[in-house]
Every structure is written in structure tokens, then in C-alpha cells.
């Protein structure tokens, strides 16, 4: 599994990794939830476990199972396979890249393979976060 995850991370398209793609959540998608394509060293990265958006201890982190954005039963969480108001993926110019959600019935759900891999394997990634963040190559 570790080898497969590293391969998936390496296969991130260069067009996505060259862009700063961010998550915005909440009922009006006006709550910043961090940078999806920033390195683990970036302060806004969801991959920075010491940062606001990568820690499991902050209510703005999708990795916090106790927050409305990280709890897999919350309608605002990307991890809810029936979620109705998942985060949006937005670039720095306001371009929309789809919804970051496990719910396959959401119209305009992201089709990016890397993002779908993260969504479908979020439990495993969350439990082994430090190991897999090392394999990111943004």
C-alpha cells in the first residue's frame, strides 16, 4: 500500500502541481480550509501537520474528525460519501476545479485521479499521515 501511494503521489500532473489549488468550505464556500497542492512545508498546506490546515486539532482542518469539515458524517466534510455541501477546489484566480468530495453523486465532483485517491483512502492516509506526506512531490 505504501509503495502504491508513493507512486500515485508521483503521478500528480505537472499542471496541477504548478498551481495553488485551495479548498473553500461552509454553506457559502467562504471558509478557507487550506492549500491542497502546497508542499508540507507551506504554512497553509493541508499536508503540513504542524499548520492550521493540516493538524488534527484545528476546527478548520479536514483532518480533524471532530470538526464539521473533517467529520465523515458532516454534510460539509469531503469524507462524507453522502455529503451535500463539500468543499470546492479553487485556484488563485477564482477558477473552479470541482468539489472535493467522496460523494459520487455530487455534480461537478473533481475527476482528478490524485484527489480521488486521497478521498477514497482518507482513513488510511490520516492514520499514517507523516509517512505519506514525505511522498508528496508538489
Amino acid at each position: 500500500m505504501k509503495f502504491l501511494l508513493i507512486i500515485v503521489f508521483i503521478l500528480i500532473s505537472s499542471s496541477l502541481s504548478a498551481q495553488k489549488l485551495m479548498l473553500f468550505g461552509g454553506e457559502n464556500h467562504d471558509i478557507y480550509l487550506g492549500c491542497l497542492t502546497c508542499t508540507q512545508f507551506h504554512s497553509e498546506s493541508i499536508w503540513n501537520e504542524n499548520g492550521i490546515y493540516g493538524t488534527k486539532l484545528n476546527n478548520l482542518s479536514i483532518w480533524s474528525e471532530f470538526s464539521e469539515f473533517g467529520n465523515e458524517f458532516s454534510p460539509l466534510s469531503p469524507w462524507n460519501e453522502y455529503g451535500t455541501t463539500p468543499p470546492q477546489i479553487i485556484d488563485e484566480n477564482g477558477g473552479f476545479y470541482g468539489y472535493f468530495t467522496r460523494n459520487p453523486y455530487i455534480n461537478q465532483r473533481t475527476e482528478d485521479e490524485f484527489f480521488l485517491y486521497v478521498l477514497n483512502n482518507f482513513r488510511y492516509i490520516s492514520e499514517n499521515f507523516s509517512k505519506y506526506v514525505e511522498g508528496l512531490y508538489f
Side-chain angles (χ1 to χ4, degrees), residues 40-59:
Q40 69 268 30
F41 305 109
H42 193 285
S43 62
E44 296 177 13
S45 178
I46 68 162
W47 305 109
N48 181 346
E49 64 185 326
N50 297 313
I52 293 171
Y53 307 105
T55 183
K56 294 181 180 184
L57 304 175
N58 190 293
N59 63 355

PDB file of all heavy atoms in Angstrom, residues 40-59:
ATOM      1  N   GLN A  40       4.297  20.200   2.110  1.00  0.00           N
ATOM      2  CA  GLN A  40       4.101  20.011   3.545  1.00  0.00           C
ATOM      3  C   GLN A  40       4.817  21.070   4.373  1.00  0.00           C
ATOM      4  O   GLN A  40       4.605  21.175   5.567  1.00  0.00           O
ATOM      5  CB  GLN A  40       4.523  18.605   3.990  1.00  0.00           C
ATOM      6  CG  GLN A  40       6.008  18.346   3.939  1.00  0.00           C
ATOM      7  CD  GLN A  40       6.465  17.736   2.631  1.00  0.00           C
ATOM      8  OE1 GLN A  40       5.888  17.962   1.581  1.00  0.00           O
ATOM      9  NE2 GLN A  40       7.532  16.945   2.695  1.00  0.00           N
ATOM     10  N   PHE A  41       5.634  21.894   3.741  1.00  0.00           N
ATOM     11  CA  PHE A  41       6.356  22.950   4.450  1.00  0.00           C
ATOM     12  C   PHE A  41       5.630  24.290   4.402  1.00  0.00           C
ATOM     13  O   PHE A  41       5.984  25.215   5.110  1.00  0.00           O
ATOM     14  CB  PHE A  41       7.770  23.102   3.878  1.00  0.00           C
ATOM     15  CG  PHE A  41       8.528  21.801   3.889  1.00  0.00           C
ATOM     16  CD1 PHE A  41       8.796  21.132   2.709  1.00  0.00           C
ATOM     17  CD2 PHE A  41       8.947  21.233   5.084  1.00  0.00           C
ATOM     18  CE1 PHE A  41       9.479  19.927   2.717  1.00  0.00           C
ATOM     19  CE2 PHE A  41       9.633  20.024   5.103  1.00  0.00           C
ATOM     20  CZ  PHE A  41       9.892  19.372   3.922  1.00  0.00           C
ATOM     21  N   HIS A  42       4.636  24.391   3.554  1.00  0.00           N
ATOM     22  CA  HIS A  42       3.878  25.641   3.399  1.00  0.00           C
ATOM     23  C   HIS A  42       2.912  25.789   4.579  1.00  0.00           C
ATOM     24  O   HIS A  42       2.235  24.842   4.966  1.00  0.00           O
ATOM     25  CB  HIS A  42       3.110  25.612   2.080  1.00  0.00           C
ATOM     26  CG  HIS A  42       2.557  26.925   1.659  1.00  0.00           C
ATOM     27  ND1 HIS A  42       1.452  27.494   2.248  1.00  0.00           N
ATOM     28  CD2 HIS A  42       2.958  27.782   0.694  1.00  0.00           C
ATOM     29  CE1 HIS A  42       1.190  28.639   1.664  1.00  0.00           C
ATOM     30  NE2 HIS A  42       2.089  28.842   0.709  1.00  0.00           N
ATOM     31  N   SER A  43       2.845  26.979   5.136  1.00  0.00           N
ATOM     32  CA  SER A  43       2.017  27.203   6.338  1.00  0.00           C
ATOM     33  C   SER A  43       0.532  26.980   6.094  1.00  0.00           C
ATOM     34  O   SER A  43      -0.203  26.643   7.021  1.00  0.00           O
ATOM     35  CB  SER A  43       2.246  28.616   6.885  1.00  0.00           C
ATOM     36  OG  SER A  43       1.849  29.584   5.929  1.00  0.00           O
ATOM     37  N   GLU A  44       0.068  27.124   4.859  1.00  0.00           N
ATOM     38  CA  GLU A  44      -1.361  26.948   4.557  1.00  0.00           C
ATOM     39  C   GLU A  44      -1.707  25.553   4.034  1.00  0.00           C
ATOM     40  O   GLU A  44      -2.860  25.269   3.733  1.00  0.00           O
ATOM     41  CB  GLU A  44      -1.798  27.977   3.516  1.00  0.00           C
ATOM     42  CG  GLU A  44      -1.711  29.400   3.992  1.00  0.00           C
ATOM     43  CD  GLU A  44      -2.088  30.389   2.904  1.00  0.00           C
ATOM     44  OE1 GLU A  44      -2.641  29.992   1.855  1.00  0.00           O
ATOM     45  OE2 GLU A  44      -1.830  31.584   3.101  1.00  0.00           O
ATOM     46  N   SER A  45      -0.729  24.695   3.921  1.00  0.00           N
ATOM     47  CA  SER A  45      -0.927  23.380   3.316  1.00  0.00           C
ATOM     48  C   SER A  45      -1.750  22.441   4.193  1.00  0.00           C
ATOM     49  O   SER A  45      -1.554  22.376   5.406  1.00  0.00           O
ATOM     50  CB  SER A  45       0.428  22.729   3.050  1.00  0.00           C
ATOM     51  OG  SER A  45       0.261  21.434   2.512  1.00  0.00           O
ATOM     52  N   ILE A  46      -2.637  21.688   3.556  1.00  0.00           N
ATOM     53  CA  ILE A  46      -3.375  20.645   4.290  1.00  0.00           C
ATOM     54  C   ILE A  46      -2.453  19.470   4.598  1.00  0.00           C
ATOM     55  O   ILE A  46      -2.819  18.586   5.361  1.00  0.00           O
ATOM     56  CB  ILE A  46      -4.624  20.153   3.525  1.00  0.00           C
ATOM     57  CG1 ILE A  46      -4.233  19.387   2.264  1.00  0.00           C
ATOM     58  CG2 ILE A  46      -5.580  21.290   3.229  1.00  0.00           C
ATOM     59  CD1 ILE A  46      -5.324  18.511   1.700  1.00  0.00           C
ATOM     60  N   TRP A  47      -1.255  19.472   4.012  1.00  0.00           N
ATOM     61  CA  TRP A  47      -0.274  18.408   4.243  1.00  0.00           C
ATOM     62  C   TRP A  47       0.736  18.771   5.334  1.00  0.00           C
ATOM     63  O   TRP A  47       1.617  17.985   5.634  1.00  0.00           O
ATOM     64  CB  TRP A  47       0.453  18.085   2.930  1.00  0.00           C
ATOM     65  CG  TRP A  47      -0.514  17.750   1.842  1.00  0.00           C
ATOM     66  CD1 TRP A  47      -0.817  18.511   0.750  1.00  0.00           C
ATOM     67  CD2 TRP A  47      -1.332  16.595   1.756  1.00  0.00           C
ATOM     68  NE1 TRP A  47      -1.774  17.882  -0.002  1.00  0.00           N
ATOM     69  CE2 TRP A  47      -2.106  16.702   0.590  1.00  0.00           C
ATOM     70  CE3 TRP A  47      -1.489  15.459   2.565  1.00  0.00           C
ATOM     71  CZ2 TRP A  47      -3.025  15.735   0.197  1.00  0.00           C
ATOM     72  CZ3 TRP A  47      -2.407  14.486   2.177  1.00  0.00           C
ATOM     73  CH2 TRP A  47      -3.157  14.627   1.009  1.00  0.00           C
ATOM     74  N   ASN A  48       0.620  19.951   5.916  1.00  0.00           N
ATOM     75  CA  ASN A  48       1.515  20.401   6.980  1.00  0.00           C
ATOM     76  C   ASN A  48       0.857  20.070   8.321  1.00  0.00           C
ATOM     77  O   ASN A  48      -0.001  20.805   8.794  1.00  0.00           O
ATOM     78  CB  ASN A  48       1.771  21.900   6.859  1.00  0.00           C
ATOM     79  CG  ASN A  48       2.710  22.440   7.910  1.00  0.00           C
ATOM     80  OD1 ASN A  48       2.996  21.790   8.911  1.00  0.00           O
ATOM     81  ND2 ASN A  48       3.180  23.653   7.706  1.00  0.00           N
ATOM     82  N   GLU A  49       1.269  18.961   8.937  1.00  0.00           N
ATOM     83  CA  GLU A  49       0.605  18.527  10.167  1.00  0.00           C
ATOM     84  C   GLU A  49       0.866  19.451  11.354  1.00  0.00           C
ATOM     85  O   GLU A  49       0.210  19.336  12.382  1.00  0.00           O
ATOM     86  CB  GLU A  49       0.937  17.084  10.513  1.00  0.00           C
ATOM     87  CG  GLU A  49       2.369  16.787  10.830  1.00  0.00           C
ATOM     88  CD  GLU A  49       2.601  15.302  11.043  1.00  0.00           C
ATOM     89  OE1 GLU A  49       1.709  14.606  11.570  1.00  0.00           O
ATOM     90  OE2 GLU A  49       3.678  14.833  10.657  1.00  0.00           O
ATOM     91  N   ASN A  50       1.774  20.390  11.197  1.00  0.00           N
ATOM     92  CA  ASN A  50       2.019  21.383  12.238  1.00  0.00           C
ATOM     93  C   ASN A  50       1.329  22.714  11.930  1.00  0.00           C
ATOM     94  O   ASN A  50       1.428  23.652  12.709  1.00  0.00           O
ATOM     95  CB  ASN A  50       3.517  21.607  12.420  1.00  0.00           C
ATOM     96  CG  ASN A  50       4.200  20.354  12.897  1.00  0.00           C
ATOM     97  OD1 ASN A  50       3.745  19.703  13.824  1.00  0.00           O
ATOM     98  ND2 ASN A  50       5.291  19.994  12.245  1.00  0.00           N
ATOM     99  N   GLY A  51       0.666  22.787  10.798  1.00  0.00           N
ATOM    100  CA  GLY A  51      -0.018  24.009  10.395  1.00  0.00           C
ATOM    101  C   GLY A  51      -1.500  23.959  10.737  1.00  0.00           C
ATOM    102  O   GLY A  51      -2.052  22.913  11.089  1.00  0.00           O
ATOM    103  N   ILE A  52      -2.153  25.084  10.596  1.00  0.00           N
ATOM    104  CA  ILE A  52      -3.578  25.206  10.924  1.00  0.00           C
ATOM    105  C   ILE A  52      -4.433  24.222  10.135  1.00  0.00           C
ATOM    106  O   ILE A  52      -5.365  23.626  10.675  1.00  0.00           O
ATOM    107  CB  ILE A  52      -4.057  26.651  10.629  1.00  0.00           C
ATOM    108  CG1 ILE A  52      -3.397  27.635  11.582  1.00  0.00           C
ATOM    109  CG2 ILE A  52      -5.570  26.758  10.708  1.00  0.00           C
ATOM    110  CD1 ILE A  52      -3.641  29.088  11.206  1.00  0.00           C
ATOM    111  N   TYR A  53      -4.125  24.049   8.854  1.00  0.00           N
ATOM    112  CA  TYR A  53      -4.999  23.264   7.982  1.00  0.00           C
ATOM    113  C   TYR A  53      -4.591  21.787   7.843  1.00  0.00           C
ATOM    114  O   TYR A  53      -5.334  21.012   7.251  1.00  0.00           O
ATOM    115  CB  TYR A  53      -5.068  23.931   6.604  1.00  0.00           C
ATOM    116  CG  TYR A  53      -5.461  25.380   6.719  1.00  0.00           C
ATOM    117  CD1 TYR A  53      -4.525  26.394   6.563  1.00  0.00           C
ATOM    118  CD2 TYR A  53      -6.763  25.729   7.039  1.00  0.00           C
ATOM    119  CE1 TYR A  53      -4.887  27.733   6.689  1.00  0.00           C
ATOM    120  CE2 TYR A  53      -7.124  27.064   7.176  1.00  0.00           C
ATOM    121  CZ  TYR A  53      -6.184  28.060   7.003  1.00  0.00           C
ATOM    122  OH  TYR A  53      -6.548  29.378   7.143  1.00  0.00           O
ATOM    123  N   GLY A  54      -3.455  21.436   8.399  1.00  0.00           N
ATOM    124  CA  GLY A  54      -3.007  20.053   8.313  1.00  0.00           C
ATOM    125  C   GLY A  54      -3.068  19.306   9.634  1.00  0.00           C
ATOM    126  O   GLY A  54      -2.941  18.087   9.673  1.00  0.00           O
ATOM    127  N   THR A  55      -3.289  20.033  10.721  1.00  0.00           N
ATOM    128  CA  THR A  55      -3.342  19.405  12.032  1.00  0.00           C
ATOM    129  C   THR A  55      -4.684  18.715  12.258  1.00  0.00           C
ATOM    130  O   THR A  55      -5.688  19.077  11.650  1.00  0.00           O
ATOM    131  CB  THR A  55      -3.099  20.442  13.148  1.00  0.00           C
ATOM    132  OG1 THR A  55      -3.104  19.765  14.402  1.00  0.00           O
ATOM    133  CG2 THR A  55      -4.160  21.519  13.161  1.00  0.00           C
ATOM    134  N   LYS A  56      -4.682  17.757  13.119  1.00  0.00           N
ATOM    135  CA  LYS A  56      -5.934  17.091  13.501  1.00  0.00           C
ATOM    136  C   LYS A  56      -6.611  17.809  14.667  1.00  0.00           C
ATOM    137  O   LYS A  56      -7.648  17.381  15.132  1.00  0.00           O
ATOM    138  CB  LYS A  56      -5.652  15.639  13.889  1.00  0.00           C
ATOM    139  CG  LYS A  56      -5.176  14.803  12.731  1.00  0.00           C
ATOM    140  CD  LYS A  56      -4.927  13.370  13.154  1.00  0.00           C
ATOM    141  CE  LYS A  56      -4.450  12.567  11.950  1.00  0.00           C
ATOM    142  NZ  LYS A  56      -4.285  11.164  12.245  1.00  0.00           N
ATOM    143  N   LEU A  57      -6.023  18.927  15.107  1.00  0.00           N
ATOM    144  CA  LEU A  57      -6.503  19.623  16.296  1.00  0.00           C
ATOM    145  C   LEU A  57      -7.252  20.924  16.012  1.00  0.00           C
ATOM    146  O   LEU A  57      -7.733  21.556  16.939  1.00  0.00           O
ATOM    147  CB  LEU A  57      -5.315  19.926  17.216  1.00  0.00           C
ATOM    148  CG  LEU A  57      -4.478  18.725  17.635  1.00  0.00           C
ATOM    149  CD1 LEU A  57      -3.265  19.182  18.435  1.00  0.00           C
ATOM    150  CD2 LEU A  57      -5.310  17.738  18.423  1.00  0.00           C
ATOM    151  N   ASN A  58      -7.357  21.333  14.754  1.00  0.00           N
ATOM    152  CA  ASN A  58      -7.984  22.613  14.425  1.00  0.00           C
ATOM    153  C   ASN A  58      -9.331  22.392  13.750  1.00  0.00           C
ATOM    154  O   ASN A  58      -9.461  21.513  12.894  1.00  0.00           O
ATOM    155  CB  ASN A  58      -7.062  23.425  13.517  1.00  0.00           C
ATOM    156  CG  ASN A  58      -7.531  24.845  13.339  1.00  0.00           C
ATOM    157  OD1 ASN A  58      -8.567  25.094  12.739  1.00  0.00           O
ATOM    158  ND2 ASN A  58      -6.766  25.781  13.863  1.00  0.00           N
ATOM    159  N   ASN A  59     -10.308  23.215  14.090  1.00  0.00           N
ATOM    160  CA  ASN A  59     -11.646  23.030  13.514  1.00  0.00           C
ATOM    161  C   ASN A  59     -11.732  23.458  12.047  1.00  0.00           C
ATOM    162  O   ASN A  59     -12.751  23.236  11.408  1.00  0.00           O
ATOM    163  CB  ASN A  59     -12.709  23.754  14.345  1.00  0.00           C
ATOM    164  CG  ASN A  59     -12.530  25.256  14.371  1.00  0.00           C
ATOM    165  OD1 ASN A  59     -11.557  25.781  13.849  1.00  0.00           O
ATOM    166  ND2 ASN A  59     -13.452  25.941  15.001  1.00  0.00           N
TER     167      ASN A  59
END
